[in-house]
Amino acid sequence: MNVNQSAPPVPPFGQPQPVYQGYHQSSYGGQPGSTAPTTPYGAYNGPVPGYQQTSPPGVSRAPPSSEAPPASTAQAPCGQASYGQFGQGDVQNGPSSTVQMQRFPGSQPFGSVPLAPVVSQPTVLQPYGPPPTSAQVTAQLAGMQISGAVAPALPPVGLGYGSPASLASASGSFPNPGLYGSYPQGQAPPLSQAQGHLGAQPPQRSAPPQASTFTSPASGGPRMPSMTALPPGTQMTGPPGPPPPMHSSQQPGYQLQQNGSFGPARGPQPNYGSPYPGAPTFGSQPGPPQPLPPKRLDPDAIPSPIQVIEDDRNNRGSEPFVTGVRGQVPPLVTTNFLVKDQGNASPRYIRCTSYNIPCTSDMAKQAQVPLAAVIKPLARLPPEEASPYVVDHGESGPLRCNRCKAYMCPFMQFIEGGRRFQCCFCSCINDVPPQYFQHLDHTGKRVDAYDRPELSLGSYEFLATVDYCKNNKFPSPPAFIFMIDVSYNAIRSGLVRLLCEELKSLLDFLPREGGTEESAIRVGFVTYNKVLHFYNVKSSLAQPQMMVVSDVADMFVPLLDGFLVNVSESRAVITSLLDQIPEMFADTRETETVFAPVIQAGMEALKAAECAGKLFLFHTSLPIAEAPGKLKNRDDRKLINTDKEKTLFQPQTGAYQTLAKECVAQGCCVDLFLFPNQYVDVATLSVVPQLTGGSVYKYACFQVENDQERFLSDLRRDVQKVVGFDAVMRVRTSTGIRAVDFFGAFYMSNTTDVELAGLDGDKTVTVEFKHDDRLNEESGALLQCALLYTSCAGQRRLRIHNLALNCCTQLADLYRNCETDTLINYMAKFAYRGVLNSPVKTVRDTLITQCAQILACYRKNCASPSSAGQLILPECMKLLPVYLNCVLKSDVLQPGAEVTTDDRAYVRQLVTSMDVAETNVFFYPRLLPLTKSPIESATEPPAVRASEERLSNGDIYLLENGLNLFLWVGASVQQGVVQSLFNVSSFSQITSGLSVLPVLDNPLSKKVRGLIDSLRAQRSRYMKLIVVKQEDKLEMLFKHFLVEDKSLSGGASYVDFLCHMHKEIRQLLS
């Protein structure tokens, strides 16, 4: 923005632009213009004047929403990068090339490609001069709010931080940044060849991490070379001078590009003097000043999740991730990579918000970056990676520290020739038992270190001794009890018949250990409506026997022998029972159901059998029958956006918490399958599954023909997955930090032990750490997660995961080693728990404030000085605003009119135990164009950004978020494509809402169906397909997932939210 420009007729966000003193007005061709001040700014990291320019015809954009912040008082001009730039000959702040690099970004349209050192192009008026003194610099920044800068110098490839990509935002008036130039729609900028090396640089400890800065120029059109800024409509009376010569000593072989962007040189623009003498200037007649079009930041100029994901895949997908080095940031969750365990747990088991944590609590408070780990103790590994080794130490059990009880791990230090070891967590010195003794080599390592998993790997298992078992006796194999609602709704919908038919074959696939031929798990069956029916399916019976318990207030199990049986022994009786159940209740008129007594009955059955296990509950309606845990309909949309909204997320009664506590003590895990036609109070019914480590599945308005595939697929996966029962997890840390808070599906009876009646490979436990002492940079920080559980075969085991992190005394090191996906996972869980006790608006404001504090601290302490009109983001956090906005717009925190109370409660408990990959795609869905990539290509098509602007009405797109799958069909799709996919001749004949694609024998049909299958295989729940036609009523549902756009429920677009974040950061800094 030119500092002397008069306010446009419609100033951005309704604020006039400031006029700065100290600049005299001059006149070019009768139009007011600005001359360059006489102080030479060229060599200092201040502004280079840019061209003021209007948008080319036809590029005007709608103004941002009314929620966007007012324009800033320090407007950044157009056409320059501006962050941490030094004069020619100065070196960009950065460490020596010996520093180990963390996640180096590749080509990114918004400028995280390291840019070549670009020399500013001065006008005739602006000579080069010596760099000003620091006093001058301060005076210039403070007194004049200079807006502009030289393009950043290129740091050596291999550093952890390269040139900051410069994104400016004058807090709301954000046009196309000059640094990147503008490219044709949908075309990425050409990747520059500027990946050379500068001369060696002196090491600098606390150089700023690589950042993305975004400079807001004054309009949305393409940009000219940097020159003195002129108001719109001004004609230049003489051509600018030639570009200055390249400084060959500093920039060997870099070709100077316009704007410091690596695109083709651009032709002259209307109303501008041409860049070179003699070039034609079309439309540059003097005329009245033209009004500026409404201002908006170009979406292509702001950080793109798609680009970051793509670059990480290209840079880090080919090499295995070796865990031997402390504090390495792993590849993103969206990258396919192999892990080689060399002493730290794989990122599939543990991911951290930062891999370099502050040494002091003061530093942590200043940065406001939460220190948390998302732990998935039983995560499933790809077939190429080995499962954790099982170590058997015999009757003596695993070796532990006498003081803090940490388990033997690769970080323990052996001393005195191997006769003692020093604990790496509490520094206590322990004796090595004689049977465990081994000599040390010349480096002080045991000579058998690589023969023992616990001395060389990050993750491994110990067989537990009887001391680790309940009542000091080894556990029995677990049991599964299927509890089926046989009320009128369940029978009428066809659910009971479908379920009984499926169970006949599914019982052959119960989870089993290793190579055993059959599962050790026993099964039992209960049906219920207002009363409970237990079944005796003992193998010696000819027919199953039914026993009815009608006293639901005082629940007991009427039989022991014959209730829990081995499937292969009782196969005939079980099949007979499953055939009879749908017939027995076919004519029922009972509509009322009970719920709490059903869980009570299952738990009592497990208690009587002295084993842990899982209840599979299939339930259809609000339990209104007279019984413990009876609920009333309390659905009230009028509470939304009031202080009482939190009651919608809280359980109606405390009875279910008490019941859950008893279930956990017995090792009884509950998985709940809900089939509601109306409100069932998910917030209350999900309490027991949530606290016992179970899962909730919800199929609203269940119809066999539409929902059968989704339900059966979820059921098969749920029954077959490997589960750890009766589990206790504890996280130990080295001195200086401790675990203070836990999020997930579990119960805690004290402050340290996470108790899980069941834990499967999809569930995570998120742990937050706080400082309780100063940390040491040399020794770093250690985490050890120990999970004690009973396997599916009834074996008691300990699974151990260890992770070593770096510690830092410089904030720059913290910001260089953060993981945004994990940060968002933690922040979403923190917010979703917050809605239980605080108004939703308070929770949203807390999230925005924390994010602003994180970014403001970076700006203040790590970024080079630059104009206040710029938004500067740390390189590894540049997606924090877009992802945070997705969390804020989610159904839990900002529901649309069509979102039910049950939906919100369901999503809230679902996210609580999601892993990082699941929250990543849940909050920022993947949008895949299907007809752009060649049909014969076997790879997934490259994703595009989740915005309506990216949809072309001649294309077909798949959108997935881990729970939903949409196939969007544009109105102008070629007829051949419609025929190949849907087997109809025109767009109008496609059935909207179709959930299954016809199986056709052509390449496109096979490719699309194959892609859908592969997407479903990647997710823990079956995603039901919905075909959506452009301009159809279902399109509103589809657009809800285009998260970069403004949402119907009032959520800001990505661009507007970025403006808002910038305003918040500036308020904090001022």
Side-chain angles (χ1 to χ4, degrees):
M1 181 110 219
N2 176 20
V3 288
N4 292 330
Q5 179 189 327
S6 56
V10 185
F13 304 109
Q15 278 210 349
Q17 309 305 324
V19 177
Y20 291 89
Q21 285 99 32
Y23 288 73
H24 64 273
Q25 301 283 2
S26 140
S27 139
Y28 288 88
Q31 300 296 337
S34 69
T35 61
T38 50
T39 319
Y41 293 136
Y44 139 67
N45 57 326
V48 171
Y51 251 1
Q52 175 64 35
Q53 160 185 342
T54 55
S55 211
V59 183
S60 84
R61 291 187 183 275
S65 81
S66 56
E67 296 175 17
S72 92
T73 49
Q75 294 286 9
C78 66
Q80 83 281 349
S82 68
Y83 158 93
Q85 297 80 353
F86 289 72
Q88 286 75 24
D90 283 348
V91 171
Q92 168 91 15
N93 226 1
S96 74
S97 52
T98 56
V99 176
Q100 189 205 351
M101 166 199 153
Q102 302 280 7
R103 196 174 288 158
F104 185 84
S107 65
Q108 296 178 350
F110 40 86
S112 29
V113 180
L115 297 174
V118 176
V119 188
S120 69
Q121 303 183 2
T123 63
V124 182
L125 295 165
Q126 175 146 340
Y128 278 77
T133 64
S134 62
Q136 270 178 291
V137 172
T138 315
Q140 287 160 357
L141 274 174
M144 289 187 280
Q145 288 286 352
I146 301 155
S147 41
V150 182
L154 173 73
V157 175
L159 292 191
Y161 24 88
S163 77
S166 209
L167 149 63
S169 80
S171 183
S173 96
F174 292 75
N176 218 353
L179 175 60
Y180 328 113
S182 58
Y183 297 94
Q185 181 69 32
Q187 185 183 328
L191 183 54
S192 85
Q193 298 305 310
Q195 309 263 335
H197 290 267
L198 297 184
Q201 300 187 12
Q204 287 175 295
R205 252 317 299 244
S206 58
Q210 180 167 342
S212 300
T213 68
F214 308 91
T215 314
S216 53
S219 89
R223 210 73 59 236
M224 298 297 294
S226 298
M227 306 193 186
T228 311
L230 302 175
T234 305
Q235 187 187 16
M236 280 198 49
T237 52
M246 300 296 288
H247 295 269
S248 56
S249 63
Q250 282 297 318
Q251 299 116 341
Y254 292 140
Q255 181 195 348
L256 181 64
Q257 304 276 352
Q258 293 192 4
N259 307 342
S261 73
F262 301 97
R266 234 172 263 105
Q269 304 297 325
N271 290 340
Y272 281 68
S274 66
Y276 305 107
T281 58
F282 303 106
S284 58
Q285 314 82 336
Q290 299 180 2
L292 282 171
K295 296 183 175 59
R296 183 180 170 212
L297 178 59
D298 176 10
D300 283 327
I302 54 183
S304 154
I306 303 305
Q307 194 64 50
V308 171
I309 288 168
E310 198 52 43
D311 291 333
D312 193 76
R313 280 181 182 158
N314 294 337
N315 294 327
R316 307 197 63 183
S318 51
E319 291 295 307
F321 177 68
V322 181
T323 71
V325 181
R326 182 176 83 188
Q328 282 184 104
V329 181
L332 296 178
V333 285
T334 42
T335 299
N336 276 329
F337 60 98
L338 276 180
V339 180
K340 286 193 173 168
D341 184 342
Q342 290 191 357
N344 282 295
S346 159
R348 303 192 206 287
Y349 294 123
I350 306 182
R351 277 190 178 262
C352 295
T353 52
S354 178
Y355 288 80
N356 202 332
I357 58 182
C359 280
T360 64
S361 59
D362 290 347
M363 203 171 141
K365 283 194 191 98
Q366 190 182 356
Q368 286 286 315
V369 176
L371 304 175
V374 179
I375 305 174
K376 197 174 178 185
L378 298 179
R380 286 188 307 280
L381 302 181
E384 307 85 68
E385 292 175 25
S387 297
Y389 288 98
V390 181
V391 180
D392 185 358
H393 281 314
E395 288 183 15
S396 59
L399 188 56
R400 303 175 71 175
C401 168
N402 290 329
R403 183 196 289 161
C404 70
K405 302 297 179 201
Y407 293 86
M408 179 53 68
C409 71
F411 312 122
M412 298 287 191
Q413 189 70 45
F414 286 88
I415 53 176
E416 295 180 24
R419 285 188 294 278
R420 292 179 152 192
F421 70 92
Q422 182 167 21
C423 176
C424 51
F425 293 93
C426 69
S427 304
C428 172
I429 291 175
N430 300 271
D431 290 330
V432 174
Q435 72 273 20
Y436 199 76
F437 172 78
Q438 188 52 272
H439 295 285
L440 309 185
D441 65 13
H442 63 287
T443 64
K445 273 189 101 160
R446 282 173 57 120
V447 294
D448 66 347
Y450 292 105
D451 301 330
R452 290 187 175 273
E454 73 274 23
L455 299 182
S456 55
L457 299 177
S459 301
Y460 42 87
E461 291 199 323
F462 291 121
L463 281 188
T465 58
V466 75
D467 307 336
Y468 292 87
C469 303
K470 262 187 196 164
N471 309 325
N472 275 11
K473 65 182 223 186
F474 285 112
S476 309
F480 284 179
I481 304 177
F482 296 90
M483 318 190 85
I484 305 165
D485 174 350
V486 287
S487 64
Y488 176 70
N489 281 341
I491 296 292
R492 191 195 57 185
S493 68
L495 166 67
V496 174
R497 190 172 294 279
L498 177 71
L499 174 60
C500 290
E501 203 51 49
E502 175 63 27
L503 284 177
K504 289 183 206 170
S505 55
L506 186 55
L507 294 176
D508 289 331
F509 298 97
L510 299 176
R512 62 195 70 174
E513 284 291 300
T516 54
E517 279 193 18
E518 61 178 57
S519 174
I521 293 173
R522 291 169 296 162
V523 297
F525 300 89
V526 173
T527 56
Y528 68 93
N529 38 47
K530 273 201 325 196
V531 297
L532 277 76
H533 323 108
F534 291 80
Y535 296 94
N536 183 344
V537 282
K538 198 172 176 181
S539 56
S540 56
L541 295 174
Q543 284 293 319
Q545 296 172 347
M546 177 163 99
M547 299 185 182
V548 180
V549 177
S550 51
D551 183 4
V552 289
D554 183 20
M555 185 44 64
F556 67 99
V557 181
L559 75 162
L560 288 181
D561 190 33
F563 179 62
L564 294 179
V565 296
N566 180 295
V567 175
S568 55
E569 288 172 11
S570 296
R571 159 72 62 201
V573 193
I574 291 173
T575 305
S576 172
L577 170 68
L578 294 172
D579 283 334
Q580 289 177 34
I581 287 175
E583 308 307 330
M584 263 191 291
F585 299 98
D587 301 325
T588 184
R589 286 286 170 265
E590 186 54 77
T591 54
E592 292 188 359
T593 56
V594 295
F595 187 73
V598 184
I599 297 175
Q600 180 86 36
M603 183 196 66
E604 296 289 351
L606 294 176
K607 191 185 274 184
E610 296 185 352
C611 68
K614 187 185 269 198
L615 312 182
F616 295 85
L617 239 83
F618 304 89
H619 189 81
T620 58
S621 56
L622 192 70
I624 53 172
E626 274 309 323
K630 174 187 175 180
L631 302 178
K632 59 178 191 291
N633 187 336
R634 51 159 189 168
D635 190 14
D636 187 358
R637 291 192 63 84
K638 293 198 288 294
L639 297 181
I640 292 177
N641 294 326
T642 69
D643 284 352
K644 287 189 174 171
E645 184 173 3
K646 61 190 176 199
T647 59
L648 297 175
F649 296 110
Q650 296 165 352
Q652 270 188 53
T653 155
Y656 286 96
Q657 266 120 328
T658 312
L659 181 57
K661 188 176 167 182
E662 292 173 24
C663 285
V664 172
Q666 184 47 48
C668 168
C669 171
V670 179
D671 280 359
L672 175 60
F673 293 78
L674 283 171
F675 306 86
N677 291 333
Q678 54 203 28
Y679 177 75
V680 289
D681 199 348
V682 173
T684 306
L685 297 189
S686 65
V687 166
V688 179
Q690 179 79 4
L691 291 176
T692 59
S695 308
V696 179
Y697 299 84
K698 180 166 161 283
Y699 309 88
C701 303
F702 178 81
Q703 291 176 306
V704 169
E705 55 278 13
N706 292 341
D707 303 294
Q708 162 177 350
E709 196 179 351
R710 178 171 154 233
F711 163 55
L712 294 182
S713 176
D714 285 342
L715 175 63
R716 286 167 193 152
R717 202 170 177 285
D718 196 57
V719 168
Q720 292 174 35
K721 64 186 172 191
V722 173
V723 182
F725 292 98
D726 213 355
V728 182
M729 183 179 118
R730 185 177 280 200
V731 178
R732 293 179 173 83
T733 53
S734 53
T735 313
I737 52 169
R738 62 194 171 89
V740 292
D741 207 353
F742 299 84
F743 304 82
F746 52 76
Y747 176 75
M748 290 186 80
S749 55
N750 57 36
T751 56
T752 55
D753 293 339
V754 175
E755 298 175 42
L756 302 123
L759 175 67
D760 61 54
D762 299 323
K763 298 279 190 310
T764 64
V765 176
T766 302
V767 186
E768 188 185 5
F769 303 98
K770 289 260 166 70
H771 287 74
D772 57 6
D773 202 349
R774 192 185 168 86
L775 290 165
N776 182 330
E777 261 188 297
E778 269 63 58
S779 53
L782 301 175
L783 316 177
Q784 184 179 77
C785 162
L787 177 79
L788 174 65
Y789 70 99
T790 302
S791 74
C792 292
Q795 200 174 44
R796 202 71 174 148
R797 290 183 178 181
L798 282 152
R799 181 168 288 200
I800 313 294
H801 298 297
N802 303 288
L803 186 63
L805 303 172
N806 285 330
C807 297
C808 57
T809 52
Q810 303 289 343
L811 283 166
D813 292 325
L814 163 70
Y815 282 102
R816 201 177 300 125
N817 293 280
C818 288
E819 234 241 334
T820 301
D821 293 323
T822 311
L823 202 54
I824 288 293
N825 180 285
Y826 165 82
M827 291 171 102
K829 290 171 181 177
F830 181 80
Y832 281 18
R833 186 175 69 183
V835 297
L836 291 172
N837 305 309
S838 309
V840 172
K841 184 182 183 307
T842 310
V843 173
R844 291 165 50 81
D845 292 346
T846 305
L847 278 185
I848 293 172
T849 306
Q850 182 170 20
C851 182
Q853 284 173 327
I854 291 171
L855 298 176
C857 173
Y858 172 80
R859 171 76 186 249
K860 183 179 173 187
N861 298 290
C862 306
S864 301
S866 60
S867 141
Q870 285 176 296
L871 174 61
I872 300 180
L873 304 170
E875 179 56 37
C876 63
M877 279 191 194
K878 64 186 171 201
L879 299 181
L880 189 59
V882 61
Y883 285 164
L884 182 73
N885 189 36
C886 297
V887 175
L888 294 170
K889 287 159 67 169
S890 63
D891 291 340
V892 173
L893 299 182
Q894 196 160 28
E898 74 296 337
V899 181
T900 66
T901 312
D902 273 348
D903 286 336
R904 296 177 73 196
Y906 175 63
V907 168
R908 195 196 75 79
Q909 61 83 29
L910 212 54
V911 168
T912 308
S913 50
M914 274 187 184
D915 71 5
V916 180
E918 286 172 323
T919 50
N920 173 276
V921 76
F922 178 74
F923 289 115
Y924 192 95
R926 281 206 294 174
L927 184 61
L928 307 171
L930 297 185
T931 54
K932 294 238 168 61
S933 59
I935 287 184
E936 58 279 359
S937 158
T939 55
E940 229 167 67
V944 295
R945 294 169 71 165
S947 166
E948 197 175 347
E949 284 182 3
R950 312 283 160 172
L951 299 176
S952 140
N953 58 6
D955 206 349
I956 294 182
Y957 297 81
L958 258 184
L959 181 142
E960 65 119 353
N961 74 341
L963 297 180
N964 308 87
L965 190 59
F966 293 94
L967 187 71
W968 184 88
V969 186
S972 314
V973 169
Q974 291 173 355
Q975 188 192 342
V977 171
V978 172
Q979 185 73 50
S980 298
L981 267 186
F982 300 100
N983 206 22
V984 294
S985 55
S986 69
F987 174 80
S988 59
Q989 292 175 302
I990 299 171
T991 311
S992 178
L994 193 70
S995 60
V996 180
L997 291 180
V999 177
L1000 303 174
D1001 188 16
N1002 65 66
L1004 181 64
S1005 176
K1006 287 176 181 171
K1007 178 181 175 176
V1008 173
R1009 286 181 290 110
L1011 178 61
I1012 289 171
D1013 290 342
S1014 91
L1015 292 178
R1016 284 173 173 160
Q1018 292 168 28
R1019 306 291 168 216
S1020 61
R1021 290 172 182 240
Y1022 183 89
M1023 298 184 289
K1024 179 181 169 184
L1025 179 71
I1026 300 176
V1027 174
V1028 177
K1029 292 164 68 175
Q1030 188 176 2
E1031 305 296 334
D1032 186 79
K1033 60 181 188 296
L1034 271 174
E1035 201 181 26
M1036 297 315 293
L1037 179 62
F1038 171 77
K1039 285 181 180 175
H1040 175 71
F1041 297 98
L1042 300 178
V1043 288
E1044 288 198 22
D1045 301 336
K1046 191 170 177 179
S1047 71
L1048 286 173
S1049 53
S1053 70
Y1054 176 17
V1055 169
D1056 292 343
F1057 184 69
L1058 207 54
C1059 301
H1060 180 68
M1061 278 312 301
H1062 188 211
K1063 180 181 149 201
E1064 294 276 332
I1065 292 165
R1066 293 177 60 172
Q1067 279 176 346
L1068 287 172
L1069 291 174
S1070 59

